[in-house]
Amino acid sequence: NDVNVAALGEMRKGSLVNVKNAVYISIDQGIGGSLIINKKLFGGDFGYSGEFGLIKVNDGDKFDCLDEFASLRVLCAYASELYNTNIGRTRLIQLFYEDEKIHQKVLRSAQILGIALKNIIEILDINTVILGGKIVGFGDEYLNAVKSSINNLISNVNVSFALVNAENKIIGSTGLGVEYLIEQEINKEIR
């Protein structure tokens, strides 16, 4: 999937270079992710590992999938209802810096994400989490809200934004393509 390709790009040129174990989470319209175990992408038995948006979380009396609290789809719907017009992802990021209600809603979603990440970190016994996708537009305040939810419960966890976020899918897919072509040439020589 596209998040796995993005994680491969981060492993080649970004925030996951020389990282042994990590979680890469992309937050955009939905929430997807990848697991890196022993410097390799872990696909699971059926190739669907990393669907972190399906993790169940709660906020007060609402209990649902993480995707329903922290995806940009949900945050855009909130902003659209507040403004009574369709708000896209780019406009949402602008409103994060201009509108206090949207600002607080986004930061609350970051805290809920941090609580879900705490569970992932504890289960996998890792200390590196990389966040990518359009969510990076919310900047350090968003990142700090995620970290505060984690660090209240676990210490020494590295949570940061993807370094080559805009290009990681291109870098990852190019690398996969080159590896495939090399493998094909090797197989021709063996035959």
Side-chain angles (χ1 to χ4, degrees):
N1 68 35
D2 64 328
V3 178
N4 286 340
V5 173
L8 287 172
E10 291 294 327
M11 290 168 70
R12 292 180 194 282
K13 298 277 185 188
S15 54
L16 293 170
V17 171
N18 296 321
V19 173
K20 184 177 178 184
N21 300 307
V23 171
Y24 174 82
I25 296 184
S26 179
I27 303 172
D28 208 301
Q29 285 297 97
I31 299 174
S34 298
L35 298 172
I36 293 83
I37 300 174
N38 291 323
K39 295 187 177 188
K40 291 187 176 19
L41 196 61
F42 176 75
D45 287 340
F46 304 104
Y48 298 110
S49 73
E51 292 297 331
F52 299 117
L54 299 177
I55 293 172
K56 298 290 187 180
V57 292
N58 70 301
D59 185 24
D61 60 348
K62 184 178 178 189
F63 181 76
D64 210 332
C65 295
L66 178 61
D67 202 77
E68 297 303 317
F69 290 97
S71 69
L72 291 185
R73 174 185 52 78
V74 168
L75 295 171
C76 283
Y78 172 80
S80 296
E81 187 176 314
L82 196 64
Y83 279 83
N84 199 29
T85 188
N86 187 32
I87 303 291
R89 294 171 297 175
T90 302
R91 180 70 179 129
L92 175 71
I93 291 170
Q94 291 171 333
L95 288 171
F96 172 73
Y97 296 100
E98 299 168 2
D99 183 293
E100 187 58 28
K101 285 184 179 179
I102 292 174
H103 188 86
Q104 291 306 314
K105 180 77 168 177
V106 169
L107 292 181
R108 181 63 190 143
S109 75
Q111 292 168 339
I112 294 168
L113 172 64
I115 293 165
L117 287 174
K118 173 231 171 244
N119 293 328
I120 295 167
I121 291 163
E122 287 179 332
I123 290 168
L124 297 176
D125 188 29
I126 60 166
N127 73 345
T128 302
V129 176
I130 304 300
L131 302 177
K134 191 81 169 172
I135 206 82
V136 302
F138 293 130
D140 287 340
E141 193 174 3
Y142 181 91
L143 193 60
N144 290 335
V146 172
K147 288 178 183 180
S148 70
S149 288
I150 294 169
N151 290 334
N152 286 340
L153 306 165
I154 306 172
S155 60
N156 300 321
V157 176
N158 172 29
V159 181
S160 60
F161 284 133
L163 290 178
V164 290
N165 189 53
E167 296 86 21
N168 59 19
K169 291 177 186 173
I170 295 168
I171 294 167
S173 25
T174 301
L176 280 175
V178 169
E179 287 173 4
Y180 174 79
L181 292 173
I182 291 170
E183 185 178 307
Q184 294 303 308
E185 286 302 311
I186 291 170
N187 288 338
K188 281 182 189 176
E189 291 177 17
I190 292 173
R191 288 184 220 160

